[in-house]
Amino acid sequence: MKTFSELLQAYFTERLMGECNASPHTIANYRDTFRLLIAFAQQRLKKPPTKLAIQDLDANFILAFLEHLENDRGNSPRSRNTRLSGIHSFFAYAALQEPAVGAVAQRILAIQSKRCAKRPIDFLNRAESEALLSAPDQTTWSGRRDRTMLLVALQTGLRISELIGLRCQDLVLGTGAHVRCTGKGRKTRCVPLRKEVVTALRHWLRERKGEPTDPVFPSARGRVLSRDGVEYILSQHVSTAEATCPSLKAKRVTVHVLRHSMVMTLLHAGVDRSVIALWLGHESMETTQIYLHASLELKEQALAKTEPFKGRNGRYRPPEQLLAFLQSL
């Protein structure tokens, strides 16, 4: 019978990389899940990773691990469910490879995902976006890099993985200027660029002096920026921008919030949802529905097209009541 270590190695090399040809992002996500799981097992069971058996990781242990993620590490239910999906995938594979662990796997596969509260998405308005773009110091190399990177993120709506994965050869700055990127599901798409973004990128690439396969936005050492590095850079500039735009203090700004901001700009401009879905690289147009719920301005525009209600005495009901009702939805 294969040990846990042997099954885990085969799961990554044979199943994910061989049979499924999973993306590097998927593999990295599952790798992090099992790093956390193994570290938790070593602390809880007092066993090194090489001594772990499948039977040690039963349903009660997995539930304790999920509670540890939420209570001790502060993960959200959504993150907890992401970790659970990786564990489910592994034990479904383990049950096929070693039928003797089928009973253990069956109980683990029966663990349900936790329901998540759906909150309105965060996004930046125009004043907040302009304050953020003004934050980087343009007299320094890193400041010019950061402003160009933030400008591209705000105008294109690229995911953080797509942003740090950009190569100089992915930019077309001539007629029909656009950027090529590969997103989720290995879908490659082209996103058009506005004139001011093209101008900023031309100046940056002239200073960057990179080869076609070099990253557009490198670190100080010329390497690819990490996800944490980009988020740190963004947080520093948000802190600077708060001095001129206090409303930023109430928002947790991430690269994905910049993506949301671009979508809201397109929605307010009247761009069709199907175009926005193609722009973002979404699998389904229904995914963009969340942005409609987030925009109070769009709801107010819809309200303005309706006739006000009349009470029994023939007087009109004040519109402020309707706005308060819409805000509570």
Side-chain angles (χ1 to χ4, degrees), residues 123-188:
F123 62 93
L124 305 185
N125 57 36
R126 187 173 184 85
E128 292 166 342
S129 298
E130 290 178 350
L132 179 60
L133 290 175
S134 300
D137 183 3
Q138 295 300 284
T139 63
T140 64
W141 178 90
S142 61
R144 292 187 290 273
R145 176 203 62 188
D146 296 350
R147 184 186 185 279
T148 306
M149 181 170 63
L150 294 176
L151 185 61
V152 170
L154 278 167
Q155 195 260 294
T156 61
L158 297 183
R159 300 178 179 93
I160 188 170
S161 59
E162 298 166 348
L163 190 63
I164 63 179
L166 282 181
R167 298 293 185 267
C168 294
Q169 63 189 9
D170 297 329
L171 302 176
V172 177
L173 303 181
T175 303
H178 64 272
V179 56
R180 292 188 300 268
C181 64
T182 302
K184 286 185 177 180
R186 294 192 179 90
K187 294 189 295 290
T188 300

Short mmCIF file of all heavy atoms in Angstrom, two decimals, residues 123-188:
data_model
loop_
_atom_site.label_atom_id
_atom_site.label_comp_id
_atom_site.label_asym_id
_atom_site.label_seq_id
_atom_site.Cartn_x
_atom_site.Cartn_y
_atom_site.Cartn_z
N PHE A 123 -14.83 49.25 -5.09
CA PHE A 123 -14.23 49.83 -6.29
C PHE A 123 -13.89 51.29 -6.00
O PHE A 123 -14.41 51.89 -5.05
CB PHE A 123 -15.16 49.72 -7.51
CG PHE A 123 -16.46 50.44 -7.36
CD1 PHE A 123 -16.62 51.74 -7.81
CD2 PHE A 123 -17.56 49.81 -6.75
CE1 PHE A 123 -17.83 52.41 -7.67
CE2 PHE A 123 -18.77 50.46 -6.61
CZ PHE A 123 -18.90 51.77 -7.07
N LEU A 124 -13.02 51.85 -6.81
CA LEU A 124 -12.60 53.24 -6.65
C LEU A 124 -13.37 54.13 -7.61
O LEU A 124 -13.59 53.76 -8.77
CB LEU A 124 -11.10 53.38 -6.92
CG LEU A 124 -10.14 52.49 -6.12
CD1 LEU A 124 -8.70 52.85 -6.45
CD2 LEU A 124 -10.40 52.60 -4.63
N ASN A 125 -13.78 55.30 -7.12
CA ASN A 125 -14.38 56.26 -8.03
C ASN A 125 -13.26 57.04 -8.74
O ASN A 125 -12.06 56.81 -8.49
CB ASN A 125 -15.34 57.20 -7.29
CG ASN A 125 -14.66 57.94 -6.14
OD1 ASN A 125 -13.49 58.31 -6.23
ND2 ASN A 125 -15.39 58.16 -5.05
N ARG A 126 -13.65 57.97 -9.58
CA ARG A 126 -12.65 58.67 -10.39
C ARG A 126 -11.67 59.48 -9.53
O ARG A 126 -10.46 59.46 -9.78
CB ARG A 126 -13.35 59.60 -11.39
CG ARG A 126 -12.39 60.23 -12.39
CD ARG A 126 -13.11 60.99 -13.47
NE ARG A 126 -12.19 61.50 -14.47
CZ ARG A 126 -11.75 60.80 -15.50
NH1 ARG A 126 -12.15 59.56 -15.68
NH2 ARG A 126 -10.90 61.34 -16.38
N ALA A 127 -12.19 60.17 -8.52
CA ALA A 127 -11.32 60.98 -7.67
C ALA A 127 -10.31 60.11 -6.93
O ALA A 127 -9.13 60.47 -6.80
CB ALA A 127 -12.16 61.78 -6.68
N GLU A 128 -10.75 58.95 -6.46
CA GLU A 128 -9.86 58.04 -5.74
C GLU A 128 -8.81 57.45 -6.68
O GLU A 128 -7.64 57.29 -6.30
CB GLU A 128 -10.68 56.93 -5.08
CG GLU A 128 -11.57 57.44 -3.94
CD GLU A 128 -12.61 56.43 -3.51
OE1 GLU A 128 -12.88 55.48 -4.29
OE2 GLU A 128 -13.16 56.59 -2.41
N SER A 129 -9.21 57.13 -7.90
CA SER A 129 -8.26 56.59 -8.88
C SER A 129 -7.19 57.62 -9.23
O SER A 129 -6.00 57.30 -9.32
CB SER A 129 -9.00 56.15 -10.14
OG SER A 129 -9.91 55.11 -9.87
N GLU A 130 -7.61 58.87 -9.42
CA GLU A 130 -6.65 59.91 -9.76
C GLU A 130 -5.70 60.18 -8.60
O GLU A 130 -4.51 60.44 -8.81
CB GLU A 130 -7.40 61.18 -10.16
CG GLU A 130 -8.12 61.05 -11.50
CD GLU A 130 -8.90 62.30 -11.87
OE1 GLU A 130 -9.03 63.19 -10.99
OE2 GLU A 130 -9.38 62.39 -13.02
N ALA A 131 -6.22 60.12 -7.38
CA ALA A 131 -5.35 60.31 -6.21
C ALA A 131 -4.31 59.19 -6.12
O ALA A 131 -3.14 59.44 -5.79
CB ALA A 131 -6.18 60.37 -4.94
N LEU A 132 -4.72 57.97 -6.43
CA LEU A 132 -3.79 56.84 -6.39
C LEU A 132 -2.72 56.98 -7.46
O LEU A 132 -1.54 56.71 -7.20
CB LEU A 132 -4.58 55.54 -6.59
CG LEU A 132 -3.77 54.25 -6.61
CD1 LEU A 132 -3.02 54.06 -5.28
CD2 LEU A 132 -4.67 53.05 -6.86
N LEU A 133 -3.10 57.43 -8.66
CA LEU A 133 -2.12 57.58 -9.73
C LEU A 133 -1.14 58.72 -9.46
O LEU A 133 -0.03 58.73 -10.00
CB LEU A 133 -2.84 57.83 -11.06
CG LEU A 133 -3.62 56.64 -11.64
CD1 LEU A 133 -4.39 57.07 -12.88
CD2 LEU A 133 -2.68 55.49 -11.96
N SER A 134 -1.54 59.67 -8.63
CA SER A 134 -0.66 60.80 -8.30
C SER A 134 0.29 60.47 -7.16
O SER A 134 1.20 61.27 -6.87
CB SER A 134 -1.51 62.02 -7.92
OG SER A 134 -2.36 62.40 -8.99
N ALA A 135 0.09 59.33 -6.50
CA ALA A 135 0.89 59.00 -5.32
C ALA A 135 2.34 58.63 -5.62
O ALA A 135 3.25 59.07 -4.90
CB ALA A 135 0.21 57.87 -4.54
N PRO A 136 2.66 57.84 -6.66
CA PRO A 136 4.06 57.46 -6.89
C PRO A 136 4.95 58.67 -7.20
O PRO A 136 4.53 59.61 -7.89
CB PRO A 136 3.97 56.52 -8.11
CG PRO A 136 2.57 56.01 -8.09
CD PRO A 136 1.74 57.14 -7.58
N ASP A 137 6.15 58.63 -6.70
CA ASP A 137 7.13 59.70 -6.90
C ASP A 137 7.73 59.56 -8.30
O ASP A 137 8.49 58.62 -8.58
CB ASP A 137 8.22 59.61 -5.83
CG ASP A 137 9.25 60.73 -5.95
OD1 ASP A 137 9.08 61.61 -6.82
OD2 ASP A 137 10.21 60.72 -5.16
N GLN A 138 7.44 60.52 -9.17
CA GLN A 138 7.87 60.43 -10.56
C GLN A 138 9.35 60.77 -10.76
O GLN A 138 9.85 60.65 -11.89
CB GLN A 138 7.02 61.34 -11.42
CG GLN A 138 5.55 60.93 -11.50
CD GLN A 138 5.39 59.54 -12.10
OE1 GLN A 138 5.51 59.34 -13.30
NE2 GLN A 138 5.14 58.54 -11.23
N THR A 139 10.04 61.17 -9.70
CA THR A 139 11.47 61.48 -9.82
C THR A 139 12.33 60.23 -9.63
O THR A 139 13.55 60.31 -9.80
CB THR A 139 11.88 62.53 -8.79
OG1 THR A 139 11.68 62.01 -7.47
CG2 THR A 139 11.05 63.80 -8.97
N THR A 140 11.73 59.10 -9.29
CA THR A 140 12.48 57.86 -9.08
C THR A 140 12.09 56.80 -10.10
O THR A 140 10.99 56.84 -10.67
CB THR A 140 12.21 57.29 -7.66
OG1 THR A 140 10.83 56.92 -7.55
CG2 THR A 140 12.52 58.35 -6.61
N TRP A 141 13.00 55.86 -10.31
CA TRP A 141 12.74 54.76 -11.25
C TRP A 141 11.55 53.93 -10.80
O TRP A 141 10.66 53.61 -11.60
CB TRP A 141 13.99 53.89 -11.36
CG TRP A 141 13.85 52.70 -12.26
CD1 TRP A 141 14.12 52.66 -13.60
CD2 TRP A 141 13.42 51.38 -11.90
NE1 TRP A 141 13.87 51.38 -14.10
CE2 TRP A 141 13.45 50.59 -13.07
CE3 TRP A 141 13.01 50.79 -10.70
CZ2 TRP A 141 13.09 49.25 -13.07
CZ3 TRP A 141 12.65 49.46 -10.70
CH2 TRP A 141 12.68 48.70 -11.87
N SER A 142 11.52 53.59 -9.52
CA SER A 142 10.43 52.75 -9.02
C SER A 142 9.10 53.50 -9.07
O SER A 142 8.05 52.90 -9.32
CB SER A 142 10.72 52.30 -7.59
OG SER A 142 10.85 53.42 -6.72
N GLY A 143 9.12 54.81 -8.83
CA GLY A 143 7.88 55.59 -8.89
C GLY A 143 7.31 55.62 -10.30
O GLY A 143 6.08 55.52 -10.48
N ARG A 144 8.17 55.77 -11.31
CA ARG A 144 7.69 55.77 -12.69
C ARG A 144 7.16 54.39 -13.09
O ARG A 144 6.16 54.28 -13.80
CB ARG A 144 8.81 56.22 -13.63
CG ARG A 144 9.20 57.68 -13.45
CD ARG A 144 10.18 58.13 -14.52
NE ARG A 144 11.50 57.52 -14.35
CZ ARG A 144 12.46 58.01 -13.60
NH1 ARG A 144 12.26 59.11 -12.90
NH2 ARG A 144 13.65 57.41 -13.53
N ARG A 145 7.84 53.35 -12.61
CA ARG A 145 7.34 51.99 -12.85
C ARG A 145 5.98 51.78 -12.21
O ARG A 145 5.05 51.26 -12.83
CB ARG A 145 8.32 50.96 -12.31
CG ARG A 145 7.85 49.50 -12.42
CD ARG A 145 8.54 48.61 -11.41
NE ARG A 145 8.23 49.01 -10.03
CZ ARG A 145 8.84 48.50 -8.96
NH1 ARG A 145 9.78 47.59 -9.11
NH2 ARG A 145 8.50 48.92 -7.75
N ASP A 146 5.85 52.20 -10.96
CA ASP A 146 4.62 51.97 -10.22
C ASP A 146 3.44 52.72 -10.84
O ASP A 146 2.34 52.17 -10.95
CB ASP A 146 4.79 52.39 -8.76
CG ASP A 146 5.82 51.55 -8.03
OD1 ASP A 146 6.25 50.53 -8.60
OD2 ASP A 146 6.20 51.91 -6.90
N ARG A 147 3.65 53.97 -11.24
CA ARG A 147 2.54 54.73 -11.82
C ARG A 147 2.08 54.09 -13.13
O ARG A 147 0.89 53.97 -13.40
CB ARG A 147 2.94 56.18 -12.07
CG ARG A 147 1.75 57.00 -12.58
CD ARG A 147 2.13 58.40 -12.98
NE ARG A 147 0.93 59.16 -13.35
CZ ARG A 147 0.34 59.08 -14.55
NH1 ARG A 147 0.84 58.28 -15.49
NH2 ARG A 147 -0.76 59.79 -14.80
N THR A 148 3.04 53.65 -13.96
CA THR A 148 2.67 53.00 -15.22
C THR A 148 1.92 51.70 -14.95
O THR A 148 0.93 51.40 -15.62
CB THR A 148 3.92 52.73 -16.05
OG1 THR A 148 4.67 53.93 -16.22
CG2 THR A 148 3.55 52.19 -17.43
N MET A 149 2.37 50.94 -13.96
CA MET A 149 1.72 49.68 -13.63
C MET A 149 0.30 49.91 -13.12
O MET A 149 -0.63 49.20 -13.51
CB MET A 149 2.56 48.93 -12.58
CG MET A 149 1.99 47.58 -12.18
SD MET A 149 3.14 46.61 -11.16
CE MET A 149 3.27 47.69 -9.71
N LEU A 150 0.12 50.90 -12.25
CA LEU A 150 -1.21 51.20 -11.73
C LEU A 150 -2.13 51.71 -12.85
O LEU A 150 -3.32 51.39 -12.87
CB LEU A 150 -1.11 52.24 -10.62
CG LEU A 150 -0.40 51.80 -9.34
CD1 LEU A 150 -0.28 52.96 -8.36
CD2 LEU A 150 -1.13 50.63 -8.68
N LEU A 151 -1.58 52.51 -13.75
CA LEU A 151 -2.38 53.02 -14.86
C LEU A 151 -2.85 51.88 -15.76
O LEU A 151 -4.01 51.84 -16.18
CB LEU A 151 -1.54 54.02 -15.67
CG LEU A 151 -2.25 54.76 -16.81
CD1 LEU A 151 -3.41 55.58 -16.29
CD2 LEU A 151 -1.26 55.63 -17.57
N VAL A 152 -1.96 50.94 -16.04
CA VAL A 152 -2.34 49.78 -16.85
C VAL A 152 -3.40 48.95 -16.14
O VAL A 152 -4.37 48.51 -16.74
CB VAL A 152 -1.09 48.92 -17.17
CG1 VAL A 152 -1.49 47.59 -17.80
CG2 VAL A 152 -0.16 49.68 -18.11
N ALA A 153 -3.22 48.73 -14.83
CA ALA A 153 -4.18 47.93 -14.07
C ALA A 153 -5.56 48.59 -14.06
O ALA A 153 -6.59 47.92 -14.22
CB ALA A 153 -3.68 47.73 -12.64
N LEU A 154 -5.61 49.92 -13.88
CA LEU A 154 -6.88 50.62 -13.82
C LEU A 154 -7.59 50.66 -15.17
O LEU A 154 -8.81 50.69 -15.24
CB LEU A 154 -6.67 52.05 -13.31
CG LEU A 154 -6.57 52.22 -11.79
CD1 LEU A 154 -6.03 53.60 -11.44
CD2 LEU A 154 -7.91 51.97 -11.12
N GLN A 155 -6.81 50.68 -16.27
CA GLN A 155 -7.45 50.81 -17.58
C GLN A 155 -7.77 49.46 -18.22
O GLN A 155 -8.73 49.33 -18.97
CB GLN A 155 -6.55 51.62 -18.51
CG GLN A 155 -7.26 52.13 -19.76
CD GLN A 155 -6.98 51.28 -20.99
OE1 GLN A 155 -5.86 51.22 -21.45
NE2 GLN A 155 -7.98 50.61 -21.52
N THR A 156 -6.98 48.45 -17.91
CA THR A 156 -7.19 47.15 -18.56
C THR A 156 -7.98 46.17 -17.70
O THR A 156 -8.62 45.26 -18.21
CB THR A 156 -5.84 46.49 -18.90
OG1 THR A 156 -5.09 46.27 -17.70
CG2 THR A 156 -5.04 47.37 -19.85
N GLY A 157 -7.90 46.33 -16.35
CA GLY A 157 -8.59 45.38 -15.49
C GLY A 157 -7.92 44.02 -15.43
O GLY A 157 -8.57 43.01 -15.15
N LEU A 158 -6.61 43.96 -15.65
CA LEU A 158 -5.90 42.69 -15.60
C LEU A 158 -5.88 42.14 -14.18
O LEU A 158 -5.79 42.90 -13.22
CB LEU A 158 -4.47 42.85 -16.11
CG LEU A 158 -4.26 43.27 -17.56
CD1 LEU A 158 -2.77 43.30 -17.88
CD2 LEU A 158 -4.99 42.35 -18.51
N ARG A 159 -5.96 40.82 -14.06
CA ARG A 159 -5.74 40.17 -12.77
C ARG A 159 -4.29 40.34 -12.37
O ARG A 159 -3.41 40.59 -13.21
CB ARG A 159 -6.10 38.69 -12.84
CG ARG A 159 -7.55 38.40 -13.24
CD ARG A 159 -7.77 36.90 -13.31
NE ARG A 159 -9.14 36.56 -13.66
CZ ARG A 159 -9.57 36.34 -14.90
NH1 ARG A 159 -8.70 36.41 -15.91
NH2 ARG A 159 -10.83 36.04 -15.14
N ILE A 160 -4.00 40.15 -11.09
CA ILE A 160 -2.63 40.34 -10.62
C ILE A 160 -1.67 39.35 -11.29
O ILE A 160 -0.54 39.71 -11.63
CB ILE A 160 -2.56 40.24 -9.08
CG1 ILE A 160 -1.17 40.63 -8.58
CG2 ILE A 160 -2.95 38.84 -8.59
CD1 ILE A 160 -1.08 40.79 -7.08
N SER A 161 -2.11 38.12 -11.52
CA SER A 161 -1.26 37.14 -12.19
C SER A 161 -0.98 37.55 -13.63
O SER A 161 0.11 37.32 -14.16
CB SER A 161 -1.91 35.76 -12.16
OG SER A 161 -3.18 35.78 -12.79
N GLU A 162 -1.98 38.16 -14.29
CA GLU A 162 -1.80 38.62 -15.67
C GLU A 162 -0.89 39.84 -15.71
O GLU A 162 -0.09 40.00 -16.65
CB GLU A 162 -3.16 38.96 -16.27
CG GLU A 162 -4.10 37.77 -16.35
CD GLU A 162 -5.55 38.14 -16.61
OE1 GLU A 162 -5.88 39.35 -16.52
OE2 GLU A 162 -6.35 37.24 -16.90
N LEU A 163 -0.99 40.69 -14.69
CA LEU A 163 -0.18 41.91 -14.66
C LEU A 163 1.30 41.60 -14.48
O LEU A 163 2.15 42.13 -15.21
CB LEU A 163 -0.68 42.81 -13.52
CG LEU A 163 -0.14 44.24 -13.46
CD1 LEU A 163 -0.56 45.02 -14.70
CD2 LEU A 163 -0.63 44.94 -12.20
N ILE A 164 1.62 40.73 -13.52
CA ILE A 164 3.03 40.41 -13.29
C ILE A 164 3.57 39.47 -14.36
O ILE A 164 4.79 39.35 -14.53
CB ILE A 164 3.24 39.79 -11.89
CG1 ILE A 164 2.49 38.45 -11.76
CG2 ILE A 164 2.81 40.75 -10.81
CD1 ILE A 164 2.66 37.78 -10.41
N GLY A 165 2.68 38.82 -15.11
CA GLY A 165 3.10 37.93 -16.17
C GLY A 165 3.32 38.61 -17.51
O GLY A 165 3.74 37.95 -18.48
N LEU A 166 3.05 39.91 -17.59
CA LEU A 166 3.22 40.63 -18.86
C LEU A 166 4.69 40.65 -19.27
O LEU A 166 5.58 40.93 -18.48
CB LEU A 166 2.71 42.06 -18.75
CG LEU A 166 1.20 42.29 -18.81
CD1 LEU A 166 0.91 43.79 -18.71
CD2 LEU A 166 0.61 41.73 -20.10
N ARG A 167 4.93 40.36 -20.55
CA ARG A 167 6.25 40.48 -21.13
C ARG A 167 6.26 41.64 -22.13
O ARG A 167 5.21 42.02 -22.65
CB ARG A 167 6.66 39.18 -21.83
CG ARG A 167 6.74 37.97 -20.91
CD ARG A 167 7.88 38.13 -19.92
NE ARG A 167 8.08 36.95 -19.08
CZ ARG A 167 7.54 36.77 -17.91
NH1 ARG A 167 6.74 37.69 -17.40
NH2 ARG A 167 7.79 35.70 -17.19
N CYS A 168 7.43 42.17 -22.40
CA CYS A 168 7.52 43.32 -23.32
C CYS A 168 6.92 42.99 -24.68
O CYS A 168 6.34 43.87 -25.33
CB CYS A 168 8.98 43.74 -23.46
SG CYS A 168 9.72 44.39 -21.93
N GLN A 169 7.03 41.75 -25.11
CA GLN A 169 6.48 41.35 -26.40
C GLN A 169 4.97 41.27 -26.41
O GLN A 169 4.36 41.16 -27.47
CB GLN A 169 7.07 40.00 -26.81
CG GLN A 169 6.69 38.87 -25.87
CD GLN A 169 7.43 37.58 -26.14
OE1 GLN A 169 8.37 37.57 -26.95
NE2 GLN A 169 7.03 36.49 -25.51
N ASP A 170 4.34 41.34 -25.24
CA ASP A 170 2.87 41.28 -25.16
C ASP A 170 2.21 42.62 -25.42
O ASP A 170 0.98 42.70 -25.49
CB ASP A 170 2.44 40.78 -23.77
CG ASP A 170 2.91 39.36 -23.49
OD1 ASP A 170 3.01 38.58 -24.45
OD2 ASP A 170 3.19 39.04 -22.32
N LEU A 171 3.02 43.69 -25.53
CA LEU A 171 2.47 45.02 -25.75
C LEU A 171 2.55 45.41 -27.22
O LEU A 171 3.61 45.29 -27.84
CB LEU A 171 3.23 46.05 -24.91
CG LEU A 171 3.25 45.83 -23.39
CD1 LEU A 171 4.12 46.88 -22.73
CD2 LEU A 171 1.85 45.87 -22.82
N VAL A 172 1.45 45.85 -27.77
CA VAL A 172 1.40 46.39 -29.14
C VAL A 172 0.99 47.85 -29.01
O VAL A 172 -0.14 48.15 -28.64
CB VAL A 172 0.40 45.60 -30.01
CG1 VAL A 172 0.31 46.22 -31.40
CG2 VAL A 172 0.79 44.13 -30.10
N LEU A 173 1.93 48.75 -29.31
CA LEU A 173 1.71 50.17 -29.04
C LEU A 173 1.55 51.00 -30.31
O LEU A 173 1.52 52.22 -30.25
CB LEU A 173 2.87 50.73 -28.20
CG LEU A 173 3.12 50.00 -26.87
CD1 LEU A 173 4.26 50.65 -26.12
CD2 LEU A 173 1.86 49.97 -26.01
N GLY A 174 1.41 50.34 -31.45
CA GLY A 174 1.19 51.05 -32.70
C GLY A 174 -0.29 51.21 -32.98
O GLY A 174 -1.11 51.43 -32.07
N THR A 175 -0.67 51.09 -34.25
CA THR A 175 -2.08 51.16 -34.62
C THR A 175 -2.84 50.00 -33.99
O THR A 175 -2.38 48.86 -34.03
CB THR A 175 -2.22 51.10 -36.15
OG1 THR A 175 -1.46 52.17 -36.73
CG2 THR A 175 -3.68 51.25 -36.56
N GLY A 176 -4.00 50.31 -33.41
CA GLY A 176 -4.75 49.27 -32.71
C GLY A 176 -4.04 48.80 -31.46
O GLY A 176 -3.94 47.59 -31.20
N ALA A 177 -3.52 49.75 -30.68
CA ALA A 177 -2.73 49.42 -29.49
C ALA A 177 -3.52 48.53 -28.53
O ALA A 177 -4.69 48.78 -28.25
CB ALA A 177 -2.31 50.70 -28.77
N HIS A 178 -2.86 47.49 -28.04
CA HIS A 178 -3.51 46.56 -27.12
C HIS A 178 -2.45 45.78 -26.35
O HIS A 178 -1.25 45.86 -26.66
CB HIS A 178 -4.42 45.59 -27.87
CG HIS A 178 -3.69 44.68 -28.82
ND1 HIS A 178 -3.43 45.03 -30.13
CD2 HIS A 178 -3.16 43.43 -28.65
CE1 HIS A 178 -2.77 44.05 -30.72
NE2 HIS A 178 -2.60 43.07 -29.86
N VAL A 179 -2.91 45.06 -25.35
CA VAL A 179 -2.05 44.19 -24.58
C VAL A 179 -2.61 42.78 -24.64
O VAL A 179 -3.82 42.59 -24.56
CB VAL A 179 -1.93 44.68 -23.11
CG1 VAL A 179 -3.29 44.79 -22.46
CG2 VAL A 179 -1.05 43.74 -22.29
N ARG A 180 -1.75 41.80 -24.83
CA ARG A 180 -2.15 40.39 -24.86
C ARG A 180 -1.83 39.76 -23.52
O ARG A 180 -0.75 39.94 -22.97
CB ARG A 180 -1.42 39.63 -25.98
CG ARG A 180 -1.81 40.02 -27.38
CD ARG A 180 -1.17 39.06 -28.38
NE ARG A 180 0.29 39.09 -28.26
CZ ARG A 180 1.08 39.89 -28.97
NH1 ARG A 180 0.55 40.73 -29.83
NH2 ARG A 180 2.40 39.84 -28.82
N CYS A 181 -2.77 38.98 -23.00
CA CYS A 181 -2.54 38.31 -21.73
C CYS A 181 -3.26 36.97 -21.73
O CYS A 181 -4.21 36.76 -22.49
CB CYS A 181 -3.01 39.16 -20.55
SG CYS A 181 -4.78 39.48 -20.53
N THR A 182 -2.79 36.08 -20.88
CA THR A 182 -3.40 34.76 -20.72
C THR A 182 -3.94 34.66 -19.30
O THR A 182 -3.18 34.80 -18.33
CB THR A 182 -2.38 33.63 -20.96
OG1 THR A 182 -1.85 33.77 -22.28
CG2 THR A 182 -3.05 32.27 -20.83
N GLY A 183 -5.25 34.45 -19.17
CA GLY A 183 -5.89 34.44 -17.87
C GLY A 183 -6.33 33.07 -17.44
O GLY A 183 -5.74 32.05 -17.84
N LYS A 184 -7.38 33.03 -16.63
CA LYS A 184 -7.89 31.76 -16.12
C LYS A 184 -8.34 30.86 -17.27
O LYS A 184 -8.87 31.33 -18.27
CB LYS A 184 -9.07 32.01 -15.18
CG LYS A 184 -8.67 32.57 -13.82
CD LYS A 184 -9.88 32.67 -12.91
CE LYS A 184 -9.50 33.15 -11.52
NZ LYS A 184 -10.67 33.24 -10.63
N GLY A 185 -8.16 29.55 -17.06
CA GLY A 185 -8.55 28.60 -18.09
C GLY A 185 -7.67 28.68 -19.32
O GLY A 185 -8.05 28.19 -20.39
N ARG A 186 -6.48 29.32 -19.19
CA ARG A 186 -5.54 29.48 -20.30
C ARG A 186 -6.18 30.22 -21.49
O ARG A 186 -5.81 29.99 -22.64
CB ARG A 186 -5.01 28.12 -20.76
CG ARG A 186 -4.14 27.40 -19.73
CD ARG A 186 -3.43 26.21 -20.37
NE ARG A 186 -2.57 25.53 -19.41
CZ ARG A 186 -2.96 24.53 -18.65
NH1 ARG A 186 -4.20 24.10 -18.73
NH2 ARG A 186 -2.14 23.96 -17.81
N LYS A 187 -7.14 31.08 -21.20
CA LYS A 187 -7.76 31.86 -22.26
C LYS A 187 -6.91 33.10 -22.54
O LYS A 187 -6.64 33.90 -21.64
CB LYS A 187 -9.18 32.28 -21.87
CG LYS A 187 -10.15 31.12 -21.73
CD LYS A 187 -11.58 31.61 -21.56
CE LYS A 187 -11.77 32.38 -20.27
NZ LYS A 187 -11.69 31.52 -19.09
N THR A 188 -6.48 33.24 -23.79
CA THR A 188 -5.71 34.41 -24.20
C THR A 188 -6.65 35.45 -24.79
O THR A 188 -7.52 35.12 -25.59
CB THR A 188 -4.64 34.02 -25.24
OG1 THR A 188 -3.75 33.06 -24.67
CG2 THR A 188 -3.83 35.24 -25.67
#
